[in-house]
Every structure is written in C-alpha cells, then in structure tokens.
Amino acid sequence: MEPQLSNSTRLAQNLLYNRGRGGRARPAPVVVLLGPSGAGKTHALRTLSRDCGAGVVHAFFDFARTRTPEAEQRAPATVEVLAQLAFWLSRKWRARRRVRFTRFTLGMIAVETPLDGLTHEQAEQKLRDAIRIFAQRPRAADIGNRIVGPLADVMSQTDLVRDSIAETIRTVLPDLVGAATRRRLGRAMRFHAEFDDAEGANPVDALIRLSALGTKEMTDWLTDAFLADVQASYPRTAKPDLHNPCTCVAPESPDHLHNWVLLLDNVDHPAGGTFLSDFLAARERHLRREPDDHDPLLLVTTSGRWDRAWSSDWRPPWQAAPNHNKRARTVPACHDGSHQHWLNGQTSPRSWLYPVLLAPLTIDETAQMLRVTRHDPVCQLAHRASGGLPAAVEVIAPLVRDPKPAPGARDALSASEAG
C-alpha cells in the first residue's frame, strides 16, 4: 500500500473501534477526505475497501457514477443510494451471519405498491397480498415476476421516484426480499407501526400512510428504517474476524466490536450533499429517541471542493484564523486525524463532519511508490514533476522506469506513443 494512502487507512483504523463487550457505543464521524484532482481520494477509498476485506462489513458508492457510458451524469436519490448500500452490506460475508434489511425493504414495497384510487379496504388487502408474498420467501425469479417487475414499472410512472431508482429496485430488491423470515417480518411491521409519523396506526395502516407521503417524508421514514435495520443486524457482524487479524485502535478491550464502514466517493456532487444531509438528520432523530445509542456507521467520504457550510466548525488549512470566529478549528492533515482530535475533549461531537486533508506525497513516499530509493534521479524527477500527487506519480512511473532518463535529458516524460 502506498504510504500516503496508508494515512487514510490509519485514520480509519483509529475510528473503526466501536466499543468493548458490554460498553457504550462510541460516536463515529463522517470523515471527508479533501484534496485536489489526482490527490488520491478515490484510490484511498478503494484501498480502504480492500483493507476492510472480509474482516469489516463495508460498502462503496460513487456519487459521480452514470447510468451508462453514453448517459449524462445523473443525481441518484437518497432512497436509491440506501438500496445500493443495503444490497452490498447484505452480501454473504465469509464467517458472518447475513445482514438483513427487512424494515427498509418492507417500507420500499409499501411505497411502491400502487394504491391510488383504491378504497381503504382495497388498499389494505392489496398491501397485505404484497406482504404475504414477501413473507413466503419465493424464489428470486418469482420475486422478479410477481413483485419487483410490476413495482418497478409503477415506480417509473410516479412522482415519488425516478426511472433510475426503478432500475435499482429491479436488481437490488429480489435479494433483499429473499432474506426475510416471518419473525423478522413481524419486528419490521412493529417498527413501522411505532414510527412517529404512523401516529398510532396499526402496522398495515402505517404502511399505507407511508405509501401516501411525499418525497421528503418518505425519504425520512425509509432512512430511519435503514438505520433501524443496521442496529438490528450489527451485533451479529461486529466482532473481528479470527481469520483476518484486526489492526484497528482498540485501547479499551481486545474483545471489541467494529463499526461498519460506508465508503462514499465524490460527495461534493449535489446528490452526495443531499444524502449526507438526509443521513445526518436520521442520525439526530435516532439520538433524540435513544441518546446513548450511537448508530455503528463510520462514513469515509471524498470531496474535491470545500463546502462553506463546514466553515462554522472547521477552517480550511489555507485560510488564516479570523478574529471573529474562534470556534472553528483548522482542518488537520489526514495523518494527524484521530477520534480524540475530532471530539476535542467533548463527550458529544460538535459537528458530525470531520474534514481531513490528503497532503502531497513526500520524497520518501514517492520513492516507495516507484520502488526506488529517494536518492535515485528517477524519484527526484517524478517527485518534482508530479507535485506529490499520487495520480500524477502513477502516470509518470512507466515513463521513467525503462529506460531510465539520462542526466540532462529534456524528453524524459515524453510518451512513447502519440497521445
């Protein structure tokens, strides 16, 4: 692993520790890896994903993705992002029990079951039929034919969701539906009945009410359901994997629990900002209900731009300290970040967001990427030409390795082929 990128890994290891057995949950921040294009932000997330491996439950999402190579960039809705994250979190982890998203999936089925124009009795019966199919654990092909396909078709014709979400449901929902059991279904139904916006309705009426909400209220409800599913599945999957030695910072107990990790690339895109806003709002709602029960999600995100909304709590490292705002702290370099620094002596975080700066590579780090010594002319040339940006070093590396540039050569970085 490249030394610069290992800084983000070391930071994640410090934040990965949740608590020892029987201890209180430790709050986890939303880390924002800052840096210009080529600074290694995406590479850092990919490296973190590989380091998590089978030992830590994790999922990856890129807000800059497109539907097809020819399509214009689109903005995925929060519900679509949650569906994709649920899909990857619930994959079959080696030596771990399956992660379940029954509450979230049941809510999605309720939202996408067409109930417009039906009487209350007809709507209740139609929703019960959909739930009954859900509880029967049908085969994936049956799920696609009897539930997912029709729901996705309806979704593309409603104002609640977009075509892109309908496409996501066609691929994601079958696996999530197939993971249900009657016991989990009963707990999921009770969750929806006890939700604040259900206003005391019975479980089926609560789901009918959910299906009639607008986009914002529906998103809040489903985000809360997602977090509730995380809380329910987390204890079964949080112990370190005996076959994957743990390297996280766990000072309190060798027998401890890990956070789950969500790796979110390019949150500076509009959809990324919306998702973070919806997620943090759901986290705050959860803490109002359970003040000492932090959700076990560590978010590690990337951004190529500074968000002015962060300025009330954080000051970018290139900006001098103003006299009028002594509350804001300077954003640390990634290698200086830690859970202790984030909390700054407080028991509760002042801000859930924790921006850190990916600093340029040092000469020694450049040498290690090139697998040469720091005194090698190749290293010195690549370091000066790249400005310490990992992506630039990767581009330069094949141009200077073979043949090695002669002293004084002016074409050392010329490509061997046109273009």
Side-chain angles (χ1 to χ4, degrees), residues 74 79 119 138 141 144 198 224 242 260 311 339 349 390 409:
R74 62 179 176 81
V79 172
T119 65
D224 284 15
L242 296 178
W260 290 1
S311 298
H339 193 270

Side-chain angles (χ1 to χ4, degrees), residues 132-414:
R132 187 176 300 111
I133 296 174
F134 179 35
Q136 289 173 352
R137 297 176 58 83
R139 296 179 306 162
D142 293 335
I143 294 171
N145 294 331
R146 297 164 64 188
I147 302 178
V148 179
L151 291 184
D153 292 338
V154 171
M155 291 166 66
S156 63
Q157 301 170 14
T158 66
D159 295 331
L160 283 177
V161 293
R162 309 163 186 250
D163 291 347
S164 59
I165 303 179
E167 293 177 3
T168 298
I169 299 308
R170 284 190 177 97
T171 58
V172 170
L173 195 57
D175 191 67
L176 298 180
V177 169
T181 65
R182 290 187 181 276
R183 180 178 297 179
R184 294 191 185 93
L185 182 62
R187 288 196 293 261
M189 295 286 287
R190 287 194 296 274
F191 164 83
H192 289 289
E194 294 169 359
F195 194 75
D196 292 343
D197 287 350
E199 298 181 357
N202 66 42
V204 175
D205 283 346
L207 291 172
I208 292 175
R209 180 174 177 82
L210 167 60
S211 70
L213 294 178
T215 302
K216 177 62 170 63
E217 293 79 8
M218 176 267 291
T219 299
D220 290 347
W221 192 318
L222 291 179
T223 306
D224 284 15
F226 179 91
L227 287 184
D229 281 325
V230 169
Q231 293 280 13
S233 285
Y234 167 71
R236 304 193 307 269
T237 62
K239 294 195 303 183
D241 187 346
L242 296 178
H243 302 287
N244 293 272
C246 169
T247 58
C248 77
V249 179
E252 297 181 21
S253 171
D255 187 14
H256 61 278
L257 304 179
H258 287 161
N259 284 311
W260 290 1
V261 181
L262 301 184
L263 304 165
L264 308 177
D265 205 7
N266 297 297
V267 295
D268 48 344
H269 286 239
T274 299
F275 177 84
L276 288 184
S277 177
D278 291 337
F279 172 83
L280 292 178
R283 173 175 278 184
E284 291 292 344
R285 288 193 297 271
H286 174 75
L287 287 175
R288 284 196 294 271
R289 292 190 294 266
E290 302 289 342
D292 297 326
D293 189 16
H294 296 281
D295 67 80
L297 291 176
L298 168 62
L299 274 61
V300 183
T301 71
T302 69
S303 176
R305 292 195 298 269
W306 177 259
D307 190 327
R308 291 183 179 179
W310 305 338
S311 298
S312 60
D313 295 294
W314 297 100
R315 182 171 54 254
W318 57 84
Q319 187 177 91
N323 294 326
H324 63 279
N325 186 7
K326 300 187 182 297
R327 169 189 172 108
R329 293 191 292 154
T330 301
V331 169
C334 189
H335 54 75
D336 292 329
S338 68
H339 193 270
Q340 295 76 15
H341 180 269
W342 170 56
L343 285 180
N344 194 31
Q346 306 294 317
T347 56
S348 298
R350 194 166 62 186
S351 170
W352 288 109
L353 293 170
Y354 187 32
V356 297
L357 184 65
L358 284 175
L361 298 174
T362 65
I363 187 74
D364 291 317
E365 292 166 340
T366 302
Q368 186 165 343
M369 283 190 69
L370 296 173
R371 296 179 176 83
V372 298
T373 68
R374 63 171 298 173
H375 303 293
D376 192 307
V378 167
C379 176
Q380 297 179 35
L381 173 62
H383 185 67
R384 294 175 62 186
S386 66
L389 296 180
V393 174
E394 290 181 348
V395 172
I396 291 171
L399 303 179
V400 297
R401 278 192 183 124
D402 189 25
K404 288 189 176 183
R410 295 180 177 274
D411 61 348
L413 299 183
S414 297

